[in-house]
Amino acid sequence: MKSPVRLLLAAACTAALLSSPTAAWSANKPKAEKAPPVDCAKVKCIALTFDDGPGKYADKLLDTLKKTNSKATFFLEGQYAKSRKAFAKRMAVEGHELGNHSYTHPHLRELSEEKIREELTRTQDIVKQATGKAPTLLRPPYGELDERVRAIAAEMRLPIVLWNGGSRDWATKNEKAIYDEVLKNAKRDGVILMHDWVEQTVKVMPKLIAALQKQGYHIVSVSSLRGAQDLKAGDIYPVGSEKDDDLASETPDSPGPEAASPEDGM
């Protein structure tokens, strides 16, 4: 049995440790608070969407989104989600929205129904395996769709998301041009098309987000926008975008060489 003196010394040492600055900081360390959801019915929102990824610069883009408390929607190609699993996983963990952009970026209207299904289901499976979450939206490559694509999207319980504003980042690959084009097309509940494999897009993103936020925009995922919160399988959003004959001019004939580097980001 320990003597009373030893017990008193032990108690004194414990009290001293608890009163030290380090112990006090640990005891009172604030818990991380989850940011409240943005209500786009009450505030001005815009969605930045990124196709053909995860691109080789996706990690730097995710750093910027995290620092600016912004959420994006990533339309992933299965072939790159497979080779850059770490980037895809980080997108999901950090609360960004994931969409399906096919496996190899073909013209879906030129494929058989069997091949369309294969392109989409393969991507669903790979993204879910990489991130734990299956994509909840579909953006067909080039924005091209027909009744077969729409029926298969409905069968797979995927709303179709196109866009109503572009960046032409793949064409210009110029920071100022990308910045100017996005700000020109920015509007409330806008869906902006960009690419995370374009290095200039990623580099200009801190400046671009700052400019959008200065204009009062909250940068959110597509599903947070007004009119997109209750989309049903096979629905097309934004309304009217399916009638825009200029959609395909916002997308490259095929992803650039920066996208086609599957060894990066593994």
Side-chain angles (χ1 to χ4, degrees):
M1 184 175 177
K2 293 182 179 179
S3 70
V5 174
R6 286 186 178 179
L7 289 172
L8 286 171
L9 286 172
C13 289
T14 300
L17 284 171
L18 287 174
S19 63
S20 69
T22 302
W25 180 85
S26 299
N28 297 316
K29 185 179 179 181
K31 294 181 179 179
E33 293 183 8
K34 190 175 181 180
V38 176
D39 185 349
C40 294
K42 296 179 180 178
V43 298
K44 191 164 67 168
C45 294
I46 193 169
L48 302 182
T49 68
F50 298 89
D51 284 9
D52 304 339
K56 66 184 294 184
Y57 309 111
D59 57 338
K60 296 177 179 63
L61 174 60
L62 289 166
D63 289 344
T64 297
L65 293 171
K66 188 172 184 178
K67 287 176 185 175
T68 58
N69 195 29
S70 303
K71 299 300 179 188
T73 300
F74 291 91
F75 290 96
L76 305 178
E77 283 186 43
Q79 60 181 333
Y80 301 130
K82 181 179 180 180
S83 62
R84 299 186 180 115
K85 293 178 183 178
F87 289 176
K89 176 69 172 178
R90 184 179 168 190
M91 290 169 183
V93 167
E94 295 185 359
H96 301 290
E97 190 167 40
L98 304 181
N100 186 322
H101 198 48
S102 80
Y103 188 80
T104 60
H105 206 274
H107 293 273
L108 294 181
R109 291 185 301 204
E110 298 176 2
L111 303 183
S112 67
E113 289 188 22
E114 180 183 0
K115 287 293 185 182
I116 294 169
R117 264 192 204 86
E118 181 182 331
E119 281 280 335
L120 302 184
T121 57
R122 193 175 180 189
T123 299
Q124 290 290 107
D125 294 343
I126 285 171
V127 173
K128 185 173 182 181
Q129 183 181 33
T131 69
K133 298 178 181 179
T136 55
L137 304 169
L138 168 65
R139 175 173 284 166
Y142 314 102
E144 295 177 353
L145 65 147
D146 56 19
E147 286 307 313
R148 298 173 311 137
V149 173
R150 192 169 182 181
I152 291 169
E155 175 188 304
M156 296 175 66
R157 301 181 181 179
L158 296 172
I160 297 169
V161 173
L162 301 178
W163 58 93
N164 52 19
S167 62
R168 296 195 59 76
D169 55 354
W170 63 272
T172 64
K173 293 187 179 177
N174 177 280
E175 291 182 39
K176 185 179 186 306
I178 295 165
Y179 176 89
D180 291 343
E181 187 74 9
V182 172
L183 291 184
K184 180 184 78 174
N185 290 318
K187 59 184 176 181
R188 186 171 185 179
D189 299 313
V191 179
I192 304 296
L193 172 64
M194 311 183 85
H195 300 85
D196 65 3
W197 56 266
V198 176
E199 185 177 15
Q200 293 81 1
T201 293
V202 175
K203 284 184 174 180
V204 82
M205 196 56 55
K207 179 182 175 182
L208 180 55
I209 289 177
L212 289 169
Q213 290 177 334
K214 188 175 181 179
Q215 292 183 18
Y217 286 105
H218 293 257
I219 296 158
V220 301
S221 62
V222 168
S223 293
S224 296
L225 298 174
R226 295 182 303 175
Q229 296 176 3
D230 299 310
L231 289 177
K232 295 180 176 59
D235 284 353
I236 299 174
Y237 183 86
V239 174
S241 58
E242 71 276 17
K243 300 175 183 177
D244 188 348
D245 294 332
D246 196 42
L247 280 178
S249 70
E250 282 294 343
T251 63
D253 288 336
S254 62
E258 296 91 338
S261 303
E263 71 276 7
D264 292 307
M266 294 183 67

